[in-house]
Amino acid sequence: RESFFADSDIVCVLLRLNEQTRSCVTAQDLAGMKSDAILVNTARAELIEPGALLHALKMGRPAQAAVDVYESEPVLDPQHPLLQLPNCLCTPHLGFVEKDNYESYLGKAFDAINEHAKRH
């Protein structure tokens, strides 16, 4: 584990959140990353120990991060600490906002409405 974080140029956090994975990326893991490494988290903020990413980025290990997940969502405060860091690319968590997903969700909803209407 230590060498994984120490040797990786880019670490992408892509785990499902559950009790075994909550806070599985620790402050120690981040502190052990290279000074030019990048951390990407597009899964769940809770996979990283609370406050650890902010602290790590301020310390320069990893050098940069890209996130679209936050400990409290949605991020409405333009003064959110991660948004203030020049070494953190922050975007909204919009991975689900995609045409095929909407068509699938709405299609299932309309199918359910039509089935209900047929029975009544």
Side-chain angles (χ1 to χ4, degrees):
R1 180 185 182 107
E2 185 177 325
S3 65
F4 170 79
F5 282 95
D7 296 339
S8 295
D9 294 321
I10 301 172
V11 173
C12 295
V13 181
L14 299 169
L15 297 169
R16 184 174 297 234
L17 179 64
N18 58 44
E19 288 311 309
Q20 290 76 35
T21 61
R22 184 177 301 278
S23 297
C24 68
V25 177
T26 67
Q28 183 177 349
D29 294 330
L30 298 176
M33 292 181 76
K34 295 191 274 188
S35 62
D36 61 349
I38 300 170
L39 179 100
V40 177
N41 186 2
T42 58
R44 293 284 177 246
E46 296 87 352
L47 295 168
I48 299 175
E49 184 179 342
L53 181 58
L54 178 64
H55 178 74
L57 289 169
K58 287 181 177 180
M59 298 291 102
R61 288 183 186 260
Q64 299 179 353
V67 299
D68 73 348
V69 291
Y70 308 89
E71 292 173 6
S72 178
E73 292 186 23
V75 174
L76 301 174
D77 181 3
Q79 299 305 311
H80 186 284
L82 287 176
L83 298 178
Q84 302 308 307
L85 296 177
N87 58 341
C88 191
L89 175 64
C90 299
T91 63
H93 188 64
L94 295 176
F96 70 94
V97 180
E98 191 266 330
K99 182 181 175 189
D100 289 339
N101 284 342
Y102 274 126
E103 286 178 355
S104 174
Y105 298 146
L106 292 175
K108 289 177 184 175
F110 283 116
D111 289 346
I113 291 168
N114 288 333
E115 280 301 314
H116 179 76
K118 282 181 194 176
R119 286 183 265 148
H120 295 16

